[in-house]
Structures are given as C-alpha cells and as structure tokens.
Amino acid sequence: MLEIKNLHVSIEEKKIIKGLNLSINKGEVHALMGPNGSGKSTLSYVLSGKDKYEIDDGTIEYNEKNLLELDVDERANEGLFLAFQYPMEIPGVQTSFFLKTAINSKRKYLGHSEMDALEFAKLMKSKAEELNINNEMLKRDLNVNYSGGEKKKQEILQMSMLSPKMAILDETDSGLDIDALRIVSEGVNKLRSKENSFLVITHYQRLLNYIKPDFVHIIADGRIVKSGDYSLALELEEKGYEEISKSA
Amino acid sequence: MAATEQTIKQVNTLGDTDYKYGFSTELDEIRPPKGLNEDIIKFISAQKDEPEWMLDWRLNAFKVFNKLPKPEWAKLNIPEIDYQDCYYYSIPKSLKDKPKSLDEIDPEIIKTYEKLGIPLKEQKMLSGIAVDAVFDSVSVATTYKKQLSDLGIVFCSISEAVKTHPDLVKKYLGSVIPVSDHSFAALNSAVFTDGSFIYIPEGVRCPVELSTYFRINAMNTGQFERTLIIADKDSYVSYLEGCTAPMRDENQLHAANVELVALDNAEIKYSTVQNWYPGDKEGKGGIYNFVTKRGACRGKNSKISWTQVETGSAITWKYPSCILQGDNSKGEFYSVAITNNMQQADTGTKMIHIGKNTSSKIISKGISAGKANNTYRGLVNILSKAKNARNFTQCDSLLIGNKCGAHTVPYIESSNSDSMVEHEATTSKINEDQLFYCQQRGLNSEDAVGLIVNGFCKEVLQHLPMEFAVEAQKLVAISLEGSVG
Ligand SMILES: Nc1ncnc2c1ncn2[C@@H]1O[C@H](COP(=O)(O)OP(=O)(O)OP(=O)(O)O)[C@@H](O)[C@H]1O
Ligand SMILES: [Mg+2]
C-alpha cells in the first residue's frame, strides 16, 4: 500500500526527516510515536502533498504509483486521508455542504455521478450518529467555534464518509475526552478491513488499547529508531523516549 | 425555476422564431453612423416613436452633458473615452457583417457559459444575433403578464412606458438622478436606448421576482439602459438584473442609470449579478461599466436594499446609493466585488440620511486576484435633521496572490450629534492552510478557492433571492479560475 524509502525532507533549508523507511501493507495498522518536533506531522504533510516541503532524497510509492508525482487532491481522491492535528476553520461554509463537496469531488474524480441528495443526507446522518455528532453541528460553519474535541470528531466523520484506503491520524486522540476517545476509536475500528490501512500518530499508549496496532514505530530526529509490535508501546510507556532511543 | 433561467428560456424561444422568421425584416434596417450629436439623439427618439416631450428631455440632457466636466477617477486607470467613436444605437447587423458563428467564439467563453448553465442557444445569441429589445423584460412580462396586470403592476420596457404611462415617467424620470448629476448621468439621459420600467400600485406585494437579463451584443456600441422602479405606498417588489456580454477586443461603454422610488412603507429589493466581459488576461477588451444607481426612500418607513455581485467588466465604477428622506426609512447595501487579472473595480455606496430615525447598513466583500485592483468607496452622510440616524458599515477584503490590491475608502460626514456610525474593516490574504485542507479532502485548487471565497461572501450572497444565489455562487467560483496554482 505505502512504501517509503530513505526519505529526506527539509523545510526552509532545515532538515527535518533524515532517512526514513516505512512500509505499510494493505489491512495493517501502524502506530507512530515520537517526541515533540521529531517530524511526525511533517511526515503526514509530505505524504498528503503540502507544498513548501523539499524532498531531498528518497521515494514514496502508494498503490503502485509514485506518490510524489500526484497533486494534493489526486492523492486524496486516490484514497489517502489525513486527519489533521489542527483542523482548519472555514468560515461561511456549512459543514454538511463541505462534506457533500468532498464526497462529490471524489466521485467526480472516479468518474461517478454526484451523490443523490437523499442518499447523502442518509449517509451523513448515520455516520454522524455513530460518532455522536448532532445535527445542529452539521449546520454550522466547518470547524468554526468547534471545541478542540469536536474538531477531532469532525475529522473522523469526514474520514468515515470518504472511506479512505490509507488514513493518517495525526494525534486525533489529543483533546478527546474519555467517551469521545472510545467513540472515535470505534469509528476507526469500523473502517478497519483487509483493504484499508492506517498510520496512527499518537503520544499516548492509551489510544492503542482501543485501536490495536499491528506495528509500533518510534521516530526520533526524523528517523525511525525502533519498530516492534504493540508491546513496544508498553515498553515506551515505562522507559520513555530517551532510554528507548539509546537502546536502539 | 430561476428567474434568469426563465428569462433565458423565453428569449431562446423568441430567438428561434425571430431567427427564422421575424429577423430578416430587421436586417434591412440601418445603423446610424458613429458619433454623438443632436441628430443621433433625434434618430434614437424617432426610432422609438417617442412623444415630443421625451425628445426635448433628451436634447436638454445633451446640452447639460456638453457643459459638464468628466468625472474624476480616483484609483482607476481609465483611458480617454472617445464619445465620437462609438455607436449609440444598434439594431441587428446587416447580412454583410453577419456575426461570427458559434465556432468562432473563444472556447474559454463557451466553457464559461456552459458552466453557468446557459444553453447553447444562448451562445448563439452571444455572437450578436440577438437584439437588445428581445432581452428587454420580455420573458417575465410574457410569462406573468396576466397575473401582473390583474394586480395593476406595470412591468414593461421604458420605451413602452413612455407611451403607455407618460404621467408616471414624466413625474419620476430624472427625479432621483438629476440630469445634471454628473456627465454619465447626462449622457445616459440623452441617449438611453432601453431598460425596464416597473410600477407597483399602492398596497400590492409583487408575487414574483421581476427580472431582466441585459447583454451588450453589437460591436463598438455603448449601452445606455434606463431603469425606473416606483413602489407606491405599502407595496413590495424584488427585482433581479443579470448582465453578460460577449467577448470583444475593444472596450465597450456601459453607462446605465437606475432610479428607484419607494413611497410610504414600501420596500424595493434590487439584486444584480453583473458579469460583463472583463477583458482578457492582458487586459485587452472588456466592458467599462459606469453605472449610476440610486434609490430614494421618499416615504416614511420605506426601505431600499441593494445587493450586488460584481464579477465582470474591465472597469467597474458603481455606487448604488440610498437617499433616506422619509422618517424611519432604511437603506441597505450588500456587495461582492471580484476582480481578477487586469480588472479594476471602484465600487461602494452612498447613504444619505435626511429623515429622522433613518438607518443604513453596508456589507462589502471585495476579492482581488491576479493583478487586479479593488476599491471600496463609501459615503455615509448624516444631515442635521436626521435625528437618531444609524449606520453600520463592514468592509472585508480578500487577496489572492501578491500582485493584486485592495483599498477601503470610507467617508463619513455627520452633522448630527445623536447619530451613530460604526465602521469595521479587514483585509486578509487567502489562507494557504485552508486551501490545503480543502484539497486534502479531494477538492481541486480552483474548487477550493471557490469554496473559501463563497464562504467569505456568504453574508452578502444570502441576501440574494434563492434561485439567484446558486447562480451567483457558481459565478464567484468561475470568475476566480486561474487565480491560483
Ligand atoms: N515551516 C517550518 N519552518 C521551520 N521549521 C519547521 C517548519 N515546520 C516544522 N518545522 C520544524 O520541524 C520539526 C518537526 O515538526 P513536526 O510538526 O513534524 O513535529 P511533530 O513530530 O509532529 O511534533 P508534535 O508531537 O509536537 O506534534 C520541528 O522542529 C518544527 O519546529
Ligand atoms: Mg505533530
């Protein structure tokens, strides 16, 4: 599904990612953990194609395509989804309208006709209910004056409506209360299948109790310094980054 | 169905029959020579079979025009206009310069029109086959003629009104915009060719949106519409105006005058979606849109509300205004002005508070892209008798790219101490992170810009009648194409 080889990325001459390798197969859930400023969000932006990042070296293959050649929207429509660490507010644009526009953009890209209004309304209602997002919320402007947790839930709503093949969740758990954490995790788990993959960026082992990863990676200073299974997250919880990185 | 759509449909049906049958008779007619003089004015008046008082009115306006200085242009870069190098009256062209065929029209513009949902037939008219008069209020008048006349509503072309309702025309024409107001007002008064006339009788609420779809067709022709709307006591009307023009290399002059009169407790809602041809990317061609729009709230508790979406024209110079004479009268101005490439817009409003407890509200959204310049220029004038007058003004500017400009020029004059004037202004650049976010959700860059800009304009767009709002949203997105990436 996703194959990152020897990735080097810099921004404004500053090297952030320094030789990162990561391979994610269909159906796998990978967790990425690492100290602040280690390059996790940078990686998520590079994967989704944000500009101003300089790819100094390396390759990224996504579904047998050269990911780096695709535009941001092409990547999205090819099934790559990023749940933002800091979702954007779009004043004057109703949340439900935004969702509809996103869904129809994808359908257009895939050569399908626009989703019928009724079908859309049904889909949105059922997905929103699963995430405990009320209807009033969907009538408001996208993310404007949403609480931190509400924004994160909105990201997961968008994800579940777009049903991506490869979803990157950048600290989606940060800012969620305990109930919301469970609900959001259930939302993610519902999407898990043999076909879909996830890269879950988090600081907290607790999330991984809900979303059981197949692999856990630790990133430090722009490189993956250690990989393992779920037990690595537990070990990290115990020892902290410094010790783990040293032993690597 | 959207009123404009309906207009277009109607015109298409007309165009069809005209094209096949009625058209040839008109082809025989001759276009008067270029130039501005008394003979041309007499010619126009004669063509329209006008009564003498109307011709005299025109000739007087021409005298005034010759005496008036040209308006001074702040912030606009306007080439000298040669009034003698312009046609003032246009009828279908002779077979000899038969208009370009559909295939000769730039595919870009065809695409644009397709996106707007204006059918192919419409494009056929674009190439110059249609007659101004065909567009002149025909559709609605035809569609709802019976319903409207049962209510006593008059909706017809101004030329027709001159003949059928001379008393109303004499009483109100030039009463809001005096002939001597400025040179374009005088010019228009001298040579106006057509436009709409509306009279809503006392106590009548007009049940449908009245709509006119203006376009400039012939080459080198100035267009001078004249619109007059009178809402008698306790009446209500909502009027929509759509404008498009074909692509031409040379600049064309459009100098319309629009006068509104609202008597006691009457309300007029006037919406415009202006999409005249803006010229090409280098600034070649395009319409010079110098329009005078003014409404008089003559009666107590009357209300006039202007909503405009200005996306076209090479140069726009337009300040729809309200004269708040009646006590408790209200004026509103909601504006979206978009300039892209080399376009220039200088637009805003004037709110003149004369009566007691008068209030006005101004919401202006200016968007600039490319190398365009966009200026909001507004005047709030509170006269000494306007006790308790209120104004709220909000001007927001959005910049797309680094080469465009936005300017806000508010003038506030208050001669009354119990009045209250509030002014808020912001200028911001389109947010790259918002664009990225939208694109990450699958929107291409143009759709993303369209979405964000439409969000920015929402406060204004929501004042448009429903059917119109959807078209306006599309137009907003289309007019910014090519502004990013
Ligand atoms: N535009 C930029 N200019 C300069 N430095 C930048 C820029 N963007 C990111 N960085 C730097 O790159 C490094 C990696 O940032 P990144 O956001 O990827 O970290 P992170 O691992 O996501 O951290 P956190 O856990 O705090 O979210 C940081 O040191 C950050 O300051
Ligand atoms: Mg981060």
Side-chain angles (χ1 to χ4, degrees):
Chain A
M1 171 79 60
L2 186 72
E3 183 84 48
I4 306 172
K5 283 186 188 153
N6 190 33
L7 185 68
H8 289 258
V9 178
S10 57
I11 184 155
E12 287 158 17
E13 316 266 295
K14 186 180 167 196
K15 290 191 165 40
I16 312 270
I17 293 181
K18 305 164 182 173
L20 184 140
N21 294 290
L22 180 63
S23 171
I24 299 177
N25 293 315
K26 262 191 188 172
E28 291 177 352
V29 175
H30 291 237
L32 184 63
M33 305 178 81
N36 297 129
S38 55
K40 303 182 296 299
S41 294
T42 302
L43 178 65
S44 75
Y45 289 145
V46 168
L47 289 173
S48 44
K50 193 172 182 179
D51 60 7
K52 302 210 173 87
Y53 291 93
E54 206 62 55
I55 314 292
D56 301 320
D57 203 1
T59 57
I60 307 177
E61 202 183 282
Y62 171 71
N63 274 335
E64 275 128 54
K65 288 192 180 82
N66 178 356
L67 186 73
L68 297 171
E69 275 178 0
L70 303 180
D71 288 338
V72 181
D73 50 314
E74 283 172 329
R75 297 180 195 198
N77 290 323
E78 289 287 341
L80 187 96
F81 182 92
L82 170 61
F84 285 67
Q85 184 175 3
Y86 305 107
M88 293 307 297
E89 302 184 356
I90 318 245
V93 176
Q94 215 178 36
T95 301
S96 59
F97 182 77
F98 183 81
L99 289 167
K100 198 160 139 194
T101 309
I103 281 193
N104 284 329
S105 298
K106 182 168 180 177
R107 290 176 71 108
K108 192 171 160 196
Y109 178 85
L110 298 174
H112 301 155
S113 61
E114 285 201 354
M115 189 179 269
D116 160 271
L118 204 67
E119 193 188 339
F120 170 78
K122 264 196 201 153
L123 177 70
M124 183 172 69
K125 190 165 177 270
S126 73
K127 296 290 182 192
E129 270 170 10
E130 280 172 18
L131 292 164
N132 216 351
I133 294 172
N134 70 31
N135 206 28
E136 281 313 301
M137 200 83 183
L138 301 169
K139 288 183 192 154
R140 281 167 55 182
D141 291 356
L142 181 67
N143 289 331
V144 177
N145 299 324
Y146 280 28
S147 76
E150 285 167 346
K151 284 182 184 169
K152 295 300 180 70
K153 274 209 228 168
Q154 176 55 225
E155 293 293 284
I156 299 306
L157 174 63
Q158 292 180 19
M159 180 182 81
S160 63
M161 289 190 72
L162 290 165
S163 50
K165 294 190 192 122
M166 171 81 233
I168 305 161
L169 310 186
D170 191 356
E171 296 196 26
T172 301
D173 53 334
S174 306
L176 289 180
D177 66 41
I178 296 178
D179 290 354
L181 182 66
R182 184 178 44 77
I183 291 166
V184 160
S185 305
E186 278 167 10
V188 172
N189 286 331
K190 236 179 213 154
L191 260 189
R192 275 179 91 157
S193 78
K194 280 199 196 111
E195 297 300 313
N196 302 332
S197 315
F198 291 85
L199 179 62
V200 180
I201 298 171
T202 182
H203 285 297
Y204 307 108
Q205 177 265 333
R206 195 182 57 197
L207 175 70
L208 306 179
N209 291 336
Y210 291 101
I211 306 172
K212 279 269 167 2
D214 301 302
F215 299 93
V216 174
H217 309 277
I218 292 169
I219 181 175
D221 194 22
R223 240 179 314 239
I224 289 181
V225 293
K226 197 161 188 176
S227 297
D229 59 11
Y230 173 62
S231 62
L232 181 58
L234 296 172
E235 192 188 332
L236 178 69
E237 188 85 0
E238 222 172 274
K239 297 182 178 162
Y241 286 121
E242 202 152 329
E243 208 179 317
I244 290 242
S245 305
K246 253 188 253 159
S247 67
Chain B
M1 193 193 310
T4 34
E5 235 172 84
Q6 192 138 26
T7 312
I8 293 160
K9 282 228 175 92
Q10 286 284 329
V11 167
N12 280 340
T13 358
L14 278 169
D16 248 8
T17 44
D18 255 23
Y19 188 60
K20 281 196 217 123
Y21 313 104
F23 198 63
S24 59
T25 52
E26 287 173 328
L27 282 175
D28 294 338
E29 294 186 47
I30 306 157
R31 179 158 70 168
K34 276 183 183 175
L36 181 61
N37 51 53
E38 286 202 354
D39 288 342
I40 292 294
I41 293 166
K42 283 176 188 159
F43 177 87
I44 293 171
S45 188
Q47 282 293 314
K48 298 186 161 294
D49 218 358
E50 284 179 353
E52 211 175 313
W53 62 265
M54 194 68 248
L55 175 62
D56 292 344
W57 199 81
R58 287 176 183 274
L59 291 173
N60 172 55
F62 183 56
K63 284 202 188 95
V64 173
F65 170 76
N66 284 328
K67 281 185 218 144
L68 284 172
K70 268 178 244 157
E72 265 181 47
W73 312 108
K75 278 276 171 264
L76 289 184
N77 174 16
I78 296 179
E80 186 86 17
I81 297 164
D82 184 355
Y83 292 105
Q84 300 307 335
D85 191 34
C86 190
Y87 293 105
Y88 290 87
Y89 191 74
S90 161
I91 40 185
K93 298 189 176 160
S94 71
L95 272 172
K96 184 162 69 33
D97 8 283
K98 206 175 154 71
K100 295 173 190 159
S101 78
L102 197 59
D103 319 302
E104 277 175 66
I105 302 177
D106 191 304
E108 288 263 314
I109 228 176
I110 294 192
K111 239 171 49 198
T112 305
Y113 278 87
E114 273 169 3
K115 282 183 194 161
L116 274 173
I118 299 178
L120 206 69
K121 280 284 174 47
E122 177 67 357
Q123 286 164 15
K124 211 153 103 191
M125 288 192 265
L126 249 184
S127 64
I129 300 167
V131 196
D132 290 353
V134 169
F135 293 91
D136 184 49
S137 327
V138 168
S139 72
V140 190
T142 333
T143 318
Y144 297 107
K145 201 156 206 153
K146 172 111 178 50
Q147 201 186 346
L148 293 178
S149 66
D150 284 352
L151 291 166
I153 294 171
V154 183
F155 181 35
C156 61
S157 73
I158 190 110
S159 325
E160 203 181 320
V162 166
K163 282 173 250 173
T164 56
H165 297 83
D167 295 342
L168 284 172
V169 177
K170 273 188 210 168
K171 184 168 175 191
Y172 290 107
L173 191 71
S175 76
V176 188
I177 305 172
V179 168
S180 58
D181 202 74
H182 60 272
S183 86
F184 285 123
L187 178 63
N188 176 288
S189 301
V191 300
F192 73 85
T193 41
D194 231 321
S196 296
F197 175 85
I198 296 169
Y199 173 75
I200 313 289
E202 194 172 330
V204 171
R205 205 185 150 81
C206 184
V208 290
E209 313 270 359
L210 302 181
S211 151
T212 309
Y213 196 72
F214 290 111
R215 59 168 60 258
I216 295 175
N217 294 299
M219 268 203 220
N220 279 329
T221 307
Q223 174 141 333
F224 305 93
E225 305 121 28
R226 187 92 199 187
T227 294
L228 176 60
I229 301 178
I230 303 143
D232 214 324
K233 287 176 190 162
D234 303 302
S235 71
Y236 167 84
V237 63
S238 169
Y239 175 79
L240 315 174
E241 174 194 65
C243 314
T244 53
M247 204 163 121
R248 303 263 187 230
D249 277 352
E250 64 295 315
N251 296 102
Q252 285 169 278
L253 180 61
H254 176 249
N257 277 12
V258 174
E259 296 177 283
L260 314 182
V261 179
L263 302 181
D264 287 356
N265 308 310
E267 179 176 348
I268 302 175
K269 193 171 151 57
Y270 193 109
S271 313
T272 306
V273 173
Q274 184 265 109
N275 186 29
W276 299 120
Y277 177 54
D280 68 11
K281 283 201 172 63
E282 276 72 50
K284 195 164 184 228
I287 304 290
Y288 291 168
N289 190 32
F290 303 146
V291 173
T292 309
K293 289 185 163 168
R294 200 174 297 167
C297 284
R298 293 228 169 118
K300 58 179 196 303
N301 306 316
S302 56
K303 179 175 171 186
I304 288 178
S305 166
W306 299 100
T307 305
Q308 61 173 28
V309 177
E310 302 282 316
T311 62
S313 297
I315 299 173
T316 299
W317 183 81
K318 183 180 164 190
Y319 314 91
S321 309
C322 297
I323 302 170
L324 304 168
Q325 287 167 282
D327 290 349
N328 309 314
S329 61
K330 271 199 178 77
E332 292 174 347
F333 174 72
Y334 301 100
S335 169
V336 167
I338 298 180
T339 48
N340 196 357
N341 298 318
M342 301 294 282
Q343 282 176 277
Q344 311 176 63
D346 194 307
T347 181
T349 185
K350 286 182 210 163
M351 294 288 175
I352 317 291
H353 292 253
I354 300 171
K356 291 190 199 74
N357 303 317
T358 46
S359 64
S360 59
K361 184 173 172 187
I362 300 168
I363 309 282
S364 160
K365 306 275 177 179
I367 298 106
S368 309
K371 293 178 185 159
N373 259 303
N374 204 324
T375 301
Y376 167 83
R377 187 183 305 278
L379 168 70
V380 176
N381 189 357
I382 297 179
L383 303 186
S384 58
K385 282 188 193 150
K387 294 254 177 300
N388 241 337
R390 294 273 177 279
N391 163 266
F392 174 76
T393 300
Q394 188 186 323
C395 298
D396 299 317
S397 305
L398 185 69
L399 303 174
I400 302 172
N402 304 319
K403 291 180 186 136
C404 53
H407 318 270
T408 302
V409 192
Y411 301 92
I412 297 165
E413 291 166 19
S414 180
S415 336
N416 190 306
S417 56
D418 5 282
S419 62
M420 203 169 95
V421 179
E422 285 174 82
H423 178 92
E424 290 172 12
T426 65
T427 301
S428 52
K429 280 190 111 180
I430 195 156
N431 186 324
E432 298 282 340
D433 289 337
Q434 283 180 341
L435 284 173
F436 172 64
Y437 185 82
C438 293
Q439 285 171 269
Q440 210 305 304
R441 296 302 183 250
L443 282 71
N444 64 38
S445 58
E446 288 181 344
D447 288 349
V449 170
L451 187 85
I452 291 166
V453 172
N454 267 305
F456 174 77
C457 300
K458 184 184 181 182
E459 252 177 302
V460 171
L461 297 179
Q462 69 191 9
H463 285 278
L464 288 172
M466 261 297 270
E467 318 90 333
F468 230 38
V470 178
E471 288 173 51
Q473 281 175 5
K474 284 189 208 156
L475 193 59
V476 165
I478 289 168
S479 58
L480 286 167
E481 275 185 4
S483 64
V484 285

